[in-house]
Amino acid sequence: MSQMNRRRALKLLAALGTTGLVAACGSDEDPGGASLGDGRPIKIGLVVPTSGGFKAIGDEIANGFQLFLELQDRRLGGHPVELLTADEGASGATGKAAVESLLKQGVLALTGVANPAVMFGIRDTVEQARVPLIGSNASPTSLQSVVYIWRTSYVLDEVGRALGQHMRRQLKPSEQVAIIMPETPASQDVLRGFRVEFGETDRRIKDAVVWTKDVANPSKSAFVSDIRRAINRTPKPTAIFCHYDGATAVEFIRQLRGEGYRGKVYAPGFLTEGRVLESFAESPATALGIQTALNYSADLSNTANRVFASAYRKKHNTTPTTYAMASYDAAQVLDQAIRLAGENPTSQQLNLALGKIGQIDSPRGTWQFNQPRTPQQKWYLREVQLDGQVLSNVLINELATLG
């Protein structure tokens, strides 16, 4: 390690204080920090979309993984890393092609995947190849009984469960909730978790869900009419529970307010995550007060998050998202597992090592893998507020520990 890099690592060590970073720094004489015997880097395959509706999430995933590598002098578990990227596309078929192309290049492990549908579509390919995949975005509830697929994000029904618990306690018996969502498998997962915790027979959610069309252009008249149908029913709702993200989230919020609705809005954190809030810079009142649940908030006060969020803002001049954080953690998980797997690990040895990792000191707070290979972690309530002149998802309190 060069003197400059060693000095930077020691500064990070003093700030972070995590076992992963302690191991990665090591001493110059520490054989545990040596690279592969022949000096060649290990190959990691990053699967992300490079176009389409999930591109923004894919960019965040890539940013988070790259940031961890940069803070570790581009090493994982002491080994130099060659990061190979493939476009996951927009379907299971294109995702499978991306994974197969990376497998042919001899990757030790895979990571990324923005689209839950792609994750489901590549399941069998990953399992049959026996190469571990560390997924870093939302995972469908139906993805079960996997051996080589691990996730550093969450399972989609969990965010519905976290909000269901909160809303059941907060809403008065006389209040009415309108549920409005796109007709997608992801929404079905979110809604299933919400109903489990809120109560299937609770009179406050007794009316049918309004399903909006999953259209590429959310400003179409059908989208507007669905919103009107949800908010103009009798009795009128005093709260909205919804599930949108990206450009669709922006249009949904605008049209909801444009139709005159000024009541409470609750949603999974994707509704206001990433670049969404920047779209309301000229009309902040449109988004103010929206409450969301997520496994991460950029203003969490812990040492790991202070290091991560500060480094991310410095590099990208924007606030980190849950997508970047989960990918940063995917790199951290690989860092620890590769070290445990030994000097010349195989993919199968690495997969066994993943099962031996204990608690992860993460920007979201400490978490660990559960039996289904997903995080057991805290969920947080956030509210859109003004931080000076900038809209921000401000942490309100912890909601639950799930997983």
Side-chain angles (χ1 to χ4, degrees):
M1 182 181 296
S2 71
Q3 190 65 28
M4 181 179 295
N5 287 338
R6 183 174 177 77
R7 189 180 303 117
R8 182 176 65 177
L10 289 172
K11 287 181 180 179
L12 287 168
L13 171 59
L16 186 53
T18 68
T19 55
L21 190 52
V22 170
C25 292
S27 68
D28 291 335
E29 296 75 29
D30 180 6
S35 64
L36 290 169
D38 56 10
R40 290 182 301 169
I42 57 174
K43 295 179 180 179
I44 303 296
L46 177 64
V47 183
V48 289
T50 59
S51 62
F54 281 89
K55 182 183 182 300
I57 294 175
D59 291 344
E60 291 280 325
I61 289 172
N63 290 346
F65 200 91
Q66 290 278 14
L67 180 62
F68 187 88
L69 285 181
E70 290 169 13
L71 295 179
Q72 300 291 329
D73 295 325
R74 302 202 68 79
R75 290 174 176 261
L76 292 177
H79 303 295
V81 172
E82 180 182 356
L83 188 64
L84 306 174
T85 302
D87 180 9
E88 73 179 52
S91 68
T94 55
K96 180 180 178 182
V99 168
E100 289 175 342
S101 72
L102 291 169
L103 292 173
K104 288 177 181 178
Q105 297 178 70
V107 295
L108 179 69
L110 299 157
T111 190
V113 187
N115 188 338
V118 169
M119 175 64 82
F120 192 78
I122 65 177
R123 176 191 188 279
D124 291 345
T125 301
V126 172
E127 292 290 301
Q128 290 166 10
R130 301 172 68 200
V131 172
L133 164 66
I134 318 298
S136 47
N137 193 33
S139 181
T141 307
S142 54
L143 189 72
Q144 298 178 357
S145 301
V146 291
V147 176
Y148 282 86
I149 297 178
W150 307 73
R151 286 142 286 175
T152 56
S153 50
Y154 41 81
V155 179
L156 276 164
D157 68 333
E158 292 174 351
V159 66
R161 290 171 57 196
L163 274 172
Q165 291 180 18
H166 173 68
M167 292 174 63
R168 186 188 70 239
R169 295 190 300 263
Q170 292 296 312
L171 297 180
K172 298 176 182 177
S174 60
E175 293 192 88
Q176 291 289 309
V177 181
I179 300 173
I180 179 166
M181 297 180 173
E183 197 168 6
T184 63
S187 290
Q188 295 281 2
D189 281 347
V190 170
L191 182 59
R192 187 180 304 109
F194 175 79
R195 281 175 161 164
V196 164
E197 297 295 340
F198 195 95
E200 291 277 1
T201 60
D202 195 302
R203 293 178 60 85
R204 292 173 291 183
I205 59 168
K206 64 183 180 65
D207 288 344
V209 179
V210 173
W211 297 107
T212 62
K213 298 293 188 297
D214 185 28
V215 294
N217 180 6
S219 63
K220 289 183 178 179
S221 58
F223 192 83
V224 178
S225 65
D226 287 336
I227 290 178
R228 287 175 181 168
R229 184 157 52 94
I231 66 176
N232 291 327
R233 70 186 197 188
T234 302
K236 286 189 176 296
T238 53
I240 297 285
F241 176 54
C242 57
H243 173 228
Y244 296 95
D245 58 35
T248 308
V250 174
E251 199 60 45
F252 174 79
I253 295 169
R254 283 177 175 160
Q255 292 180 9
L256 185 68
R257 298 310 192 195
E259 292 299 316
Y261 180 80
R262 298 293 181 269
K264 304 168 186 175
V265 178
Y266 300 92
F270 331 119
L271 185 74
T272 59
E273 192 74 347
R275 303 282 182 178
V276 173
L277 290 184
E278 296 177 9
S279 302
F280 300 102
E282 300 300 320
S283 55
T286 304
L288 284 174
I290 294 175
Q291 291 196 349
T292 62
L294 205 56
N295 62 342
Y296 176 67
S297 175
D299 59 357
L300 280 167
S301 182
N302 63 64
T303 305
N305 189 49
R306 284 192 289 273
V307 171
F308 165 68
S310 176
Y312 195 92
R313 288 188 179 103
K314 183 177 180 180
K315 182 173 178 60
H316 297 288
N317 196 32
T318 190
T319 298
T321 63
T322 188
Y323 318 119
M325 179 278 299
S327 190
Y328 180 90
D329 272 5
Q332 183 175 190
V333 162
L334 283 170
D335 180 56
Q336 295 190 24
I338 291 169
R339 190 172 302 280
L340 286 172
E343 186 174 346
N344 275 296
T346 65
S347 294
Q348 293 76 39
Q349 290 169 337
L350 177 59
N351 199 63
L352 289 173
L354 285 165
K356 299 175 183 177
I357 294 175
Q359 287 194 332
I360 305 297
D361 190 5
S362 165
R364 77 188 85 175
T366 57
W367 64 272
Q368 62 187 26
F369 283 119
N370 57 19
Q371 189 172 6
R373 291 163 160 72
T374 62
Q376 183 179 29
Q377 62 187 328
K378 292 178 180 178
W379 287 83
Y380 303 97
L381 180 69
R382 315 174 317 166
E383 182 174 288
V384 177
Q385 298 179 7
L386 279 171
D387 182 6
Q389 299 298 314
V390 179
L391 286 170
S392 179
N393 290 299
V394 176
L395 178 66
I396 303 299
N397 55 255
E398 294 179 13
L399 287 176
T401 296
L402 299 173

